[in-house]
Amino acid sequence: MYSVAIEDYLKSIWKLGSKDVGTQELASHLDIKPASVTKMILRLTEMGLVDHTPYKGASLTRRGELEALSVVRRHRLLETFLSQTLGLARDELHVEAERLEHALSKELEAAIAEYLGNPTRDPHGHPIPGPNGELYEETDLPLSDSPINMTLTVMQVPDNDSNILSWLENNNIYPGTKLKIISRDDFDGGINVRIGLSKIRISSSIASLVKISFEE
Amino acid sequence: MYSVAIEDYLKSIWKLGSKDVGTQELASHLDIKPASVTKMILRLTEMGLVDHTPYKGASLTRRGELEALSVVRRHRLLETFLSQTLGLARDELHVEAERLEHALSKELEAAIAEYLGNPTRDPHGHPIPGPNGELYEETDLPLSDSPINMTLTVMQVPDNDSNILSWLENNNIYPGTKLKIISRDDFDGGINVRIGLSKIRISSSIASLVKISFEE
DNA sequence: TATAAAGTTTAGCCAAGGCTAAACTCATTG
DNA sequence: CAATGAGTTTAGCCTTGGCTAAACTTTATA
């Protein structure tokens, strides 16, 4: 069993992408100082969870990646479970799962997955890694890059910003929502969309966090 | 928010009774060394959670007691929740709740309590403290001290020993079970009981951990 | 009542995981 | 191509919460 701190580091590196992650980038993501990150990265390298090139950055080894996926799996299963059983709102899920994920045994993880019918998406539409780190190919596209005048299905909303999330919720945007882009504003990339009968404008920064697919 | 370690100390002191708890007793309950306990007790005293008389023992202050009750509440709510939703067996509950209890926010605690209809007993029959530390009077009696030839209702089984617990379960002894003591063996205090159609013998050590009431 | 045993505390060590301040690297860019 | 500034690392410190070994109390017993 790895410590909470180690699990958080691995999860953060995983979220920040497959390429080398910089010390500062990681530090701000974890809300700690760069010097602390360097120290921990050395330990993680020692443990074989991370590859580190000084002054360049760090990336997960296969072992580190599997551990990160395990944390992400627990997180997303918990979000799904809390949503289904307690009916927590989408914008409350993240913060609760964030702490519980570190206290979930393999057995309880399995029981929850079983109870939920082994879901592959959490309530935000994010894919849930399998018990051995299997993660299906992501084909969802950012709404900000999507074509005009096609019917799009929202597949994912962000999970970690409850302000954005409740704004989206209030505008009926969540996984499953159908919408159509009417036009794009040149000056700032904001888009105007139709959802059912209403039209709303979505800023490009938010639109880049919403993922869609073209399927029915 | 107190650390996991502090919550565990307070819970242990609470479980070990209202009188002064000795260093060694606490150490063995927490499975750490006495010297470590002394050090932590000094910190807890400093924090106003514990009263300590050197070479005599420690007891909870009111603040410490309230915090302990909060941990116990979370633990027992979690056991109840995991039992209800996932159908975990009574002997699996304790160990899972033991880690989750430290990661439960006030909000989630409230949501779970609400979902369960504010239960006052957990699946082992132990009373669940209220949100402000309210704990109703315990009137349950150890089975080992109970009178012969009366119909008794099992109210509580232990929560922390899965061996005993699964033995009891296999013999249909759990909260709600009706039974009658047929006789008591003088030589070791073991008792012979009738449960429905079957008769079994219960050792005095186990019988002292099962609590009953005389109600219907 | 002196002393041994049992229990408690103190002193000092260690690892984890933060921090600040200072030193170092590296990619610019004048 | 030297210098500057951004980013990274090192050095050294701190707290938490364990540990062992040694010192100290208290209690029980001879």
Side-chain angles (χ1 to χ4, degrees), chain B residues 3 9 32-33 35-36 39 43 55:
Chain B
S3 69
Y9 272 85
I32 58 180
K33 300 297 176 195
S36 306
K39 197 160 84 166
R43 284 185 51 217
Y55 293 100

Side-chain angles (χ1 to χ4, degrees), chain A residues 6-21 26 41 44-45 47-53 57-72:
Chain A
I6 288 177
E7 290 192 345
D8 281 338
Y9 272 85
L10 296 177
K11 190 177 57 162
S12 284
I13 297 171
W14 183 82
K15 283 199 189 166
L16 293 173
S18 40
K19 77 296 182 204
D20 273 344
V21 174
L26 192 46
I41 288 295
L44 295 177
T45 303
M47 288 187 238
L49 295 168
V50 145
D51 284 328
H52 179 232
T53 315
S59 58
L60 297 174
T61 61
R62 180 62 184 157
R63 272 188 53 218
E65 187 189 12
L66 286 173
E67 188 56 34
L69 285 165
S70 161
V71 180
V72 171

Side-chain angles (χ1 to χ4, degrees), chain A residues 3 5-6 9 31-33 35-36 39-40 43 55:
Chain A
S3 69
I6 288 177
Y9 272 85
D31 201 24
I32 58 181
K33 301 297 176 195
S36 306
K39 196 160 86 167
M40 179 63 105
R43 285 186 52 220
Y55 294 101

Side-chain angles (χ1 to χ4, degrees), chain B residues 5-77:
Chain B
I6 289 178
E7 290 192 344
D8 281 338
Y9 272 85
L10 297 176
K11 189 176 57 162
S12 284
I13 298 171
W14 183 83
K15 283 199 188 165
L16 293 173
S18 39
K19 76 296 178 201
D20 273 345
V21 174
T23 303
Q24 203 153 231
E25 189 183 6
L26 191 47
S28 83
H29 197 260
L30 288 165
D31 201 24
I32 58 180
K33 300 297 176 195
S36 306
V37 169
T38 299
K39 197 160 84 166
M40 179 62 105
I41 288 295
L42 293 180
R43 284 185 51 217
L44 295 177
T45 303
E46 197 62 33
M47 288 187 238
L49 296 168
V50 145
D51 283 328
H52 178 234
T53 316
Y55 293 100
K56 182 152 170 292
S59 59
L60 296 174
T61 62
R62 181 62 183 154
R63 270 187 53 218
E65 188 190 11
L66 286 174
E67 187 57 32
L69 286 165
S70 161
V71 181
V72 171
R73 172 172 167 81
R74 279 175 267 153
H75 182 95
R76 294 181 178 171
L77 281 174

Side-chain angles (χ1 to χ4, degrees), chain A residues 3-211:
Chain A
S3 69
V4 171
I6 288 177
E7 290 192 345
D8 281 338
Y9 272 85
L10 296 177
K11 190 177 57 162
S12 284
I13 297 171
W14 183 82
K15 283 199 189 166
L16 293 173
S18 40
K19 77 296 182 204
D20 273 344
V21 174
T23 304
Q24 202 152 232
E25 189 182 5
L26 192 46
S28 83
H29 197 260
L30 288 164
D31 201 24
I32 58 181
K33 301 297 176 195
S36 306
V37 169
T38 298
K39 196 160 86 167
M40 179 63 105
I41 288 295
L42 293 180
R43 285 186 52 220
L44 295 177
T45 303
E46 197 63 33
M47 288 187 238
L49 295 168
V50 145
D51 284 328
H52 179 232
T53 315
Y55 294 101
K56 181 150 170 294
S59 58
L60 297 174
T61 61
R62 180 62 184 157
R63 272 188 53 218
E65 187 189 12
L66 286 173
E67 188 56 34
L69 285 165
S70 161
V71 180
V72 171
R73 171 173 167 81
R74 279 174 267 153
H75 182 95
R76 293 182 178 172
L77 281 174
L78 278 165
E79 288 193 341
T80 312
F81 181 62
L82 294 176
S83 166
Q84 299 261 312
T85 55
L86 298 176
L88 293 202
R90 239 180 296 268
D91 62 302
E92 305 172 300
L93 294 170
H94 182 70
V95 63
E96 299 295 346
E98 198 73 4
R99 269 158 327 113
L100 292 171
E101 67 192 12
H102 302 294
L104 204 62
S105 70
K106 268 291 167 213
E107 293 75 38
L108 200 48
E109 174 192 315
I112 289 175
E114 164 96 46
Y115 170 86
L116 295 171
N118 300 300
T120 55
R121 296 261 190 180
D122 74 14
H124 304 102
H126 297 160
I128 300 176
N132 301 114
E134 314 86 337
L135 196 56
Y136 63 77
E137 207 55 46
E138 286 262 30
T139 58
D140 304 330
L141 219 64
L143 178 57
S144 49
D145 299 353
S146 300
I148 281 181
N149 254 321
M150 281 186 66
T151 297
L152 308 172
T153 304
V154 172
M155 297 301 285
Q156 294 182 28
V157 292
D159 67 347
N160 57 355
D161 187 319
S162 62
N163 287 323
I164 291 180
L165 219 35
S166 59
W167 181 85
L168 290 171
E169 201 89 15
N170 287 336
N171 287 283
N172 287 308
I173 299 172
Y174 39 78
T177 300
K178 308 272 188 202
L179 51 74
K180 192 178 285 198
I181 302 179
I182 301 166
S183 64
R184 192 179 315 263
D185 294 334
D186 282 344
F187 59 97
D188 70 347
I191 56 179
N192 301 291
V193 305
R194 157 165 296 128
I195 302 171
L197 299 175
S198 56
K199 291 184 196 178
I200 60 166
R201 189 186 130 87
I202 305 178
S203 72
S204 73
S205 65
I206 291 185
S208 69
L209 299 173
V210 174
K211 305 286 182 58

